[in-house]
Amino acid sequence: MLLLAVDTATPAVTVALHDGSSVLATESQVDARRHGELLLPAVDRVLGAAGVRLDAVTEVIVGVGPGPYTGLRVGLVTALTFGSALGVPVRGLCTLDGLAYAAGLAEPFAVATDARRKEVYWARYADGGRTRLTDPAVDRPADIAERLAGLPVVGAGGLLYPDAFPDARGPEHQSAAALAALAAEMLAEGDNSGFLPPVPLYLRRPDAQVPKNYKVVTPQ
């Protein structure tokens, strides 16, 4: 087994290789505006650090979000292209699940990432982070503060809004190493229930909109 994991659903452009037992190499760079520029070089460096060729990969794992439209689609398109070229499965995982797994908390908690527009993407988890109790959602922090009262909140969304989430904790950003480790654990257990189709989980419309009163010009 050799898993290549990528995630660009958050400002972190993150890549990892996992052999089913441990992470062989990983790299993360935080830059919300350069997902397309940073991802492929990061894959090359991770493969080089592990001393393996791309054609040795047996499965591709990709974070499907939720996340902003532009960044999220970079990772998904790249993962699907690798899967098609290599003839290997491409499995999606909720980006919030990767953060929950990385947190490793032994108590109920929530994960929240920055959704921009003064909102967060969030979900609640049971202890250990393997069981998500709610579907991913997008809301204003003040609107969910009461629902998450008393719970640790993991991720950048919690850290950005301390008034709503007073018990905010790391990790702040997504890690493909955690995503790969979660996928490897699930595959070893024969548990496919947490995998998702490799399609984007947007939760809302893209930021870019057609201008109002748009004038259509047709040829005479």
Side-chain angles (χ1 to χ4, degrees):
M1 177 189 296
L2 186 62
L3 307 179
L4 172 65
V6 301
D7 197 321
T8 59
T10 71
V13 179
T14 180
V15 180
L17 275 173
H18 198 290
D19 66 0
S21 299
S22 61
V23 175
L24 301 180
T26 186
E27 180 173 320
S28 295
Q29 296 173 270
V30 178
D31 191 325
R33 298 181 180 275
R34 299 173 63 210
H35 293 84
E37 179 182 346
L38 296 175
L39 181 57
L40 287 178
V43 171
D44 284 341
R45 287 191 294 270
V46 166
L47 290 168
V52 300
R53 291 165 51 94
L54 180 61
D55 58 12
V57 169
T58 60
E59 304 209 27
V60 179
I61 309 299
V62 60
V64 300
Y69 177 78
T70 302
L72 177 54
R73 64 180 179 173
V74 170
L76 281 158
V77 169
T78 301
L80 289 167
T81 301
F82 284 154
S84 177
L86 299 171
V88 300
V90 180
R91 303 178 188 270
L93 278 174
C94 176
T95 295
L96 302 179
D97 291 357
L99 275 161
Y101 184 83
L105 296 179
E107 58 186 301
F109 64 100
V111 171
T113 60
D114 183 16
R116 304 174 186 172
R117 303 184 192 175
K118 298 183 179 180
E119 294 179 328
V120 294
Y121 298 117
W122 68 280
R124 289 184 59 172
Y125 291 82
D127 57 305
R130 279 286 301 269
T131 302
R132 181 159 28 88
L133 302 176
T134 63
D135 289 333
V138 58
D139 287 289
R140 290 185 176 273
D143 293 341
I144 58 172
E146 186 173 344
R147 295 174 63 182
L148 302 185
L151 293 178
V153 178
V154 172
L159 295 166
L160 278 171
Y161 301 101
D163 290 343
F165 311 122
D167 191 2
R169 305 187 187 183
E172 180 177 359
H173 297 294
Q174 172 69 312
S175 162
L179 202 69
L182 172 59
E185 188 173 300
M186 292 166 59
L187 289 168
E189 296 172 357
D191 177 13
N192 294 316
S193 61
F195 289 115
L196 301 171
V199 295
L201 184 62
Y202 290 131
L203 299 188
R204 69 184 183 200
R205 297 177 62 83
D207 290 340
Q209 301 290 333
V210 176
K212 293 182 179 180
N213 302 318
Y214 179 74
K215 183 179 180 180
V216 178
V217 179
T218 57
Q220 297 296 323

